[in-house]
Amino acid sequence: MAARKKSEEPSINIDEVLTDEELKAVANESEPAEHKAKSEDGPRTVVVAEDEAVNRMDLVAMLEDNGYEVVGQAANGEEAVELTRKYRPDVVCMDVKMPRMDGITAAGIICDENIAPVVMLTAFSQTDLVKKATGAGAMAYVTKPYEESKLLPTLEVAMGRFAEINDLLDNVERSERKLKETTDQLKETEEKLKKAEDTLEERKLVDRAKGLLMDKADFSEQGAFRWIQKTSMDQRIPKKRLAQAIIAKYGDPKPSDSGER
């Protein structure tokens, strides 16, 4: 599937999506923790981008303890983009403040290429950073220090939104492709119909011209048809035009031509 424009979905703060009771319900599901991040094809895969090694290790441990598979760890935005392109994970956890390339820029590249949903990790809650993260295409954000009860549901919400958006885009692409196919078929049908109409009109004119040659010039039916056919080929005149000329010469005069003198 070709790269798509970044999502215009609003950034999601988990506190605005789930109540405390709902967060507890998610955290205390009866299903064992190691199976919570399982998908039909195996555990959810994650790329973690965090420049502070201790924070990165803690985040990786938290994710792995909850059934996620961390397939890549990045200490800067450039590494995050490279690892995301390489592993195409289910989700990316991206710190905002990182060297070489900041997380918002890296998230923008990942979202532009439509590789994976990005959840921003930040110790800052300033409105301008949130807006920049949203503008870059981030699906959601969480603030440090990370808490399982908030981080894990945020990842699931981001992955769900990402899947919904891609399903919608796929449906749009299929609809556009189907519309183009239908338009092409309609055009082809119209061309065939026009050709059939032209052929029918030509046949009618040739038949009339043939009858006039038989009546006015003593041609046999077969001879009249052969004369029209041969003359058309020799003179490179379409049979329709030739038939019209014969009709104009031998046919009944138009009412305007036969008026009283």
Side-chain angles (χ1 to χ4, degrees):
M1 182 169 61
R4 299 189 176 106
K5 293 183 180 180
K6 54 182 175 265
S7 166
E8 295 181 356
E9 288 288 319
S11 182
I12 305 166
N13 186 335
I14 193 61
D15 290 324
E16 299 172 354
V17 177
L18 301 176
T19 64
D20 290 339
E21 291 74 12
E22 289 172 328
L23 288 172
K24 291 178 181 178
V26 172
N28 297 321
E29 288 176 341
S30 58
E31 184 179 3
E34 61 268 23
H35 296 298
K36 287 182 180 178
K38 298 282 185 179
S39 66
E40 293 180 359
D41 300 323
R44 302 281 197 181
T45 55
V46 189
V47 164
V48 173
E50 164 67 76
D51 63 320
E52 295 182 10
V54 174
N55 287 341
R56 186 169 67 250
M57 291 174 60
D58 289 343
L59 180 56
V60 169
M62 180 186 298
L63 292 169
E64 291 179 340
D65 288 345
N66 284 275
Y68 290 86
E69 179 183 356
V70 179
V71 294
Q73 300 183 41
N76 60 68
E78 291 181 357
E79 289 181 358
V81 173
E82 291 174 1
L83 290 172
T84 302
R85 287 171 173 166
K86 179 178 179 180
Y87 293 109
R88 306 191 73 83
D90 292 309
V91 66
V92 177
C93 293
M94 182 82 70
D95 189 21
V96 171
K97 297 291 186 179
M98 287 190 294
R100 295 175 64 177
M101 179 187 292
D102 64 81
I104 292 176
T105 302
I109 295 172
I110 293 169
C111 294
D112 279 343
E113 297 180 12
N114 198 46
I115 306 174
V118 178
V119 173
M120 304 303 299
L121 311 173
T122 177
F124 309 95
S125 58
Q126 287 95 331
T127 303
D128 60 336
L129 286 177
V130 173
K131 288 182 177 179
K132 286 182 180 180
T134 302
M139 290 287 175
Y141 73 94
V142 292
T143 55
K144 302 175 184 179
Y146 314 123
E147 298 177 13
E148 288 184 9
S149 61
K150 293 186 177 181
L151 175 63
L152 302 183
T154 302
L155 297 182
E156 294 300 321
V157 168
M159 287 185 283
R161 286 290 182 88
F162 184 75
E164 289 175 1
I165 290 170
N166 278 283
D167 285 344
L168 177 61
L169 292 173
D170 287 341
N171 288 333
V172 170
E173 287 184 357
R174 283 194 295 269
S175 297
E176 290 178 345
R177 186 165 54 249
K178 186 174 180 180
L179 178 60
K180 185 179 183 303
E181 291 173 355
T182 302
T183 302
D184 291 343
Q185 290 174 358
L186 179 60
K187 184 178 179 181
E188 183 180 353
T189 301
E190 289 175 344
E191 290 174 351
K192 288 181 178 179
L193 179 60
K194 180 65 167 58
K195 185 176 180 180
E197 290 175 345
D198 290 343
T199 301
L200 179 60
E201 182 182 5
E202 178 184 288
R203 184 175 301 172
K204 289 180 178 179
L205 290 171
V206 169
D207 285 344
R208 186 179 175 195
K210 183 176 63 175
L212 288 170
L213 287 176
M214 292 167 61
D215 184 42
K216 304 295 185 179
D218 295 328
F219 277 91
S220 66
E221 182 177 0
Q222 187 175 16
F225 180 76
R226 286 181 178 176
W227 186 89
I228 294 172
Q229 189 175 48
K230 185 175 186 304
T231 302
S232 173
M233 293 177 62
D234 292 346
Q235 301 298 322
R236 297 182 179 179
I237 302 173
K239 285 190 288 185
K240 180 179 178 180
R241 287 182 56 193
L242 179 58
Q244 289 172 331
I246 294 170
I247 293 169
K249 180 176 181 180
Y250 292 114
D252 296 331
K254 297 179 181 179
S256 59
D257 296 334
S258 60
E260 294 182 0
R261 296 183 180 179

